[in-house]
Amino acid sequence: MMPRRVSILGATGSIGQNTIDLIRRDAGAYDVVALTGAGNIARLAADAIELRAEVAVTARPDLLEDLRAALKGSAVEVAAGPAALVEAASRPADWIMSAIVGAAGLAPGFAALDQGTTLALANKESLVCAGKILLDVARAKGTTILPVDSEHSAVFQALVGEDIGTVERIIITASGGAFRDWPIDNLAHATLDQASCHPNWDMGQRITIDSASMFNKAMEVIETREFFGIDPIQIEVLVHPQSMIHAMVGFRDGGLMAHVGPPDMRHAIGYALHHPNRAHLPVERLDFAAIGLLEFTAPDDARWPALRLAREVMAAGGMMGAVFNAAKEAALDGFIAGQINFVQMAQVVEDTIEQLDRGSGHIHATMTLDNVHKVDHLARKAAKASIEKRAG
Ligand code: NDP
């Protein structure tokens, strides 16, 4: 069999490294086209050499010469900057992993779909900001988008052979993150280190903090709506501290299909990599007798206002998803930089939503990549103003 041509956007990150781990185990089966990263030049260069990538791209033009130096003597091409990411994503490939963090993943993901490449989508921000655009281009080009978020992969798997019209509800689970059991009054004093520790999953820092604030789950609720096209009222969130059941799909006959697996992203990545087949994957096999107990509770809106905000965003429609994502990214930057506290992140997002909802018709303009960028820019500006007001 011919090797499959694969690219990995965000190769140096947590999802990217897990994807490389799977590819490395069967290296002869793949030709690696593009690997991309941003600041971690040493990792990017080492992987590009080992996997004989055609091209390595850093998102940061200021690091182009460092990347060139690290790849000197190899046959790997080098490039840098947002346009180079899009060019790399457009190179003919059979499968591409979209695992850049943040809205920066949107344009390269779009380019890959437009080129006809199957897109394994970890970058949930793309769907939240511009789900309609991605789904439209995938439909127009006959290209497949495969979810990589563990909850959406779980739903996708539970739906194999089913008619989406018979789905009554989709339940996605949340571990509750670092502060699930903290007294609410203490949340304003949570430190960056405390917010950056996840009880079950080993992930990048940003998504780990978003898990503690539930902004990650809020994004996933919107992602569920975009990806599976069901009504927001049909989407439920359950707190499940063990992170073993990732999602459940309830059908109109009362039956529920639950997807159970260890908290290891290599399952969802591997499912997308081998789809529609199932391959042997190096993940733990669960021993239910040893686990003993699986717990579930309803999420508390007072502890996690992000979930209420996600419902408001879906009700507003238009490009409010792009506002939500941009405000959340800016608020997270503000928290990481020590400008605002943990609780103020949700307040900044809420301020921004209110301001853009009130302010103009921007969010209800036609959804195009340009307009999404415009709205993203406006929302970041509004969020920064809200952060400064609180910081000052
Ligand atoms: P990481 O922070 O670990 O990695 C992010 C990747 O994106 C790195 O390769 C990083 O490069 C690169 N990057 C950072 N900024 C930019 C930019 N401006 N332009 C282009 N590339 C950039 O993130 P994760 O792997 O945790 O998450 C990646 C995506 O997958 C996110 O959308 C996240 O929500 C989603 N996801 C992650 C899960 C997980 O388990 N980690 C689970 C489900 C979804 P460098 O490191 O070189 O700076």
Side-chain angles (χ1 to χ4, degrees):
M1 234 180 20
M2 293 277 286
R4 290 172 72 202
R5 289 173 59 83
V6 300
S7 290
I8 305 171
L9 311 176
T12 50
S14 165
I15 293 284
Q17 289 294 297
N18 276 311
T19 309
I20 287 177
D21 177 73
L22 294 179
I23 284 176
R24 186 180 276 133
R25 287 163 194 265
D26 195 8
Y30 303 99
D31 276 342
V32 175
V33 181
L35 295 182
T36 82
N40 194 344
I41 297 298
R43 181 75 275 141
L44 180 60
D47 288 340
I49 290 169
E50 181 199 333
L51 298 173
R52 299 167 196 264
E54 256 176 49
V55 60
V57 183
T58 165
R60 290 181 43 186
D62 58 312
L63 295 179
L64 176 62
E65 290 315 314
D66 291 0
L67 182 60
R68 204 188 298 285
L71 286 168
K72 197 158 177 244
S74 78
V76 184
E77 290 170 50
V78 292
L85 287 177
V86 169
E87 191 280 324
S90 310
R91 293 193 181 200
D94 300 306
W95 186 91
I96 189 163
M97 167 56 76
S98 166
I100 288 172
V101 66
L106 175 58
F110 179 88
L113 287 170
D114 198 35
Q115 161 66 34
T117 305
T118 295
L119 186 76
L121 188 68
N123 177 257
K124 63 192 84 183
E125 296 88 343
S126 316
L127 271 186
V128 171
C129 293
K132 183 179 174 327
I133 297 178
L134 292 183
L135 296 174
D136 282 353
V137 69
R139 213 171 289 123
K141 302 282 172 166
T143 319
T144 306
I145 305 179
L146 297 165
V148 172
D149 230 340
S150 57
E151 296 75 4
H152 305 79
S153 174
V155 173
F156 190 81
Q157 294 181 49
L159 283 173
V160 171
E162 303 287 355
D163 171 2
I164 187 81
T166 64
V167 171
E168 221 167 46
R169 59 187 178 142
I170 291 178
I171 303 167
I172 59 174
T173 63
S175 69
F179 306 137
R180 187 186 61 229
D181 301 320
W182 274 38
I184 292 187
D185 289 345
N186 289 5
L187 292 178
H189 308 293
T191 66
L192 179 58
D193 281 350
Q194 287 166 329
S196 304
C197 290
H198 197 284
N200 304 337
W201 296 90
D202 180 13
M203 309 187 284
Q205 186 191 35
R206 297 182 74 87
I207 186 173
T208 301
I209 301 170
D210 282 351
S211 295
S213 63
M214 245 350 147
F215 269 110
N216 182 47
K217 208 50 53 180
M219 297 280 286
E220 288 176 7
V221 168
I222 302 173
E223 186 184 2
T224 303
R225 165 163 170 67
E226 294 297 326
F227 201 94
F228 300 103
I230 68 166
D231 203 273
I233 201 128
Q234 295 174 281
I235 306 167
E236 297 170 27
V237 174
L238 258 188
V239 177
H240 167 44
Q242 291 79 17
S243 298
M244 296 289 169
I245 294 187
H246 306 301
M248 298 182 234
V249 179
F251 296 92
R252 66 182 176 201
D253 59 3
L256 274 171
M257 298 287 282
H259 182 282
V260 193
D264 183 334
M265 283 309 296
R266 290 177 305 174
H267 171 73
I269 296 168
Y271 183 82
L273 182 61
H274 298 288
H275 180 269
N277 303 313
R278 283 194 187 267
H280 181 274
L281 294 175
V283 300
E284 181 196 345
R285 272 48 179 170
L286 294 181
D287 175 349
F288 282 95
I291 294 166
L293 191 69
L294 295 179
E295 299 159 280
F296 305 93
T297 51
D300 172 3
D301 269 4
R303 179 181 296 278
W304 294 300
L307 294 176
R308 169 180 56 79
L309 293 175
R311 299 205 178 273
E312 289 174 15
V313 165
M314 291 186 290
M319 286 181 281
M320 197 54 103
V323 172
F324 184 62
N325 178 65
K328 182 216 66 128
E329 287 189 17
L332 183 55
D333 288 340
F335 174 65
I336 292 173
Q339 293 171 288
I340 52 171
N341 71 38
F342 187 79
V343 171
Q344 287 173 323
M345 284 195 286
Q347 296 166 359
V348 166
V349 174
E350 187 153 19
D351 278 359
T352 309
I353 290 173
E354 272 171 20
Q355 191 173 328
L356 272 98
D357 203 18
R358 249 197 340 261
S360 64
H362 288 295
I363 66 158
H364 292 296
T366 309
M367 192 187 278
T368 61
L369 279 184
D370 274 354
N371 283 342
V372 168
H373 284 135
K374 254 182 227 158
V375 164
D376 176 285
H377 177 72
L378 288 172
R380 280 177 206 269
K381 219 168 118 188
K384 277 190 192 133
S386 167
I387 291 169
E388 274 157 26
K389 194 176 78 193
R390 284 163 207 287

